[in-house]
Amino acid sequence: MPWNLNSDKPIFMQLIEIIQHSILSGTYPPGSKLPSVRDLASQAAVNPNTMQKALAELERSGLVYSQRTSGRFITEDISMIEELKNTLAKTTIEQFLKSMQQLGFQKEETVALITEFLKGENL
């Protein structure tokens, strides 16, 4: 998983987003065990305390849970994962539509461009 961190927002928030996307994309399937804090911190090239802070926040959200001597695991609550996926998708769409509006496109024009793009199967 790529750990492309930048200075736009706090690192722990970026770590949360990257791990969330890894869960939503299936890199970490429901019920699977996460690597240790030290392993994740090493992969991301961040301080283990920063990674710990990100994982603690994911635990508070319920997306990750801890089992005392066994480590951290991804929730098995598929509906929670789907809800998060839909929420993030809606946020992405909203940001895209705002960007298109700033370029001067009306919603109908944006839909027409998307439809044209999909017909060309440029994905």
Side-chain angles (χ1 to χ4, degrees), residues 108-123:
E108 298 77 20
E109 294 172 307
T110 301
V111 169
L113 281 170
I114 292 170
T115 302
E116 183 180 320
F117 182 83
L118 291 174
K119 284 181 183 174
E121 297 186 29
N122 296 320
L123 296 177

Side-chain angles (χ1 to χ4, degrees), residues 21-120:
H21 283 98
S22 295
I23 293 168
L24 298 177
S25 70
T27 302
Y28 295 127
S32 66
K33 184 176 189 225
L34 280 171
S36 71
V37 172
R38 289 196 185 283
D39 287 345
L40 285 171
S42 176
Q43 291 170 21
V46 298
N47 185 301
N49 291 333
T50 305
M51 184 60 73
Q52 175 64 32
K53 184 175 180 180
L55 292 172
E57 186 59 37
L58 287 167
E59 277 189 55
R60 275 192 283 285
S61 75
L63 199 55
V64 171
Y65 66 93
S66 216
Q67 283 188 343
R68 266 199 121 148
T69 58
S70 303
R72 286 189 171 92
F73 295 83
I74 307 304
T75 184
E76 294 178 20
D77 185 349
I78 304 298
S79 64
M80 173 188 272
I81 293 171
E82 285 301 315
E83 185 177 325
L84 177 61
K85 188 183 253 187
N86 287 330
T87 300
L88 291 176
K90 287 176 185 176
T91 300
T92 302
I93 291 167
E94 185 178 312
Q95 290 169 348
F96 170 74
L97 290 175
K98 283 182 183 177
S99 294
M100 292 302 284
Q101 185 179 29
Q102 289 172 349
L103 290 172
F105 288 94
Q106 300 299 319
K107 287 181 183 177
E108 298 77 20
E109 294 172 307
T110 301
V111 169
L113 281 170
I114 292 170
T115 302
E116 183 180 320
F117 182 83
L118 291 174
K119 284 181 183 174

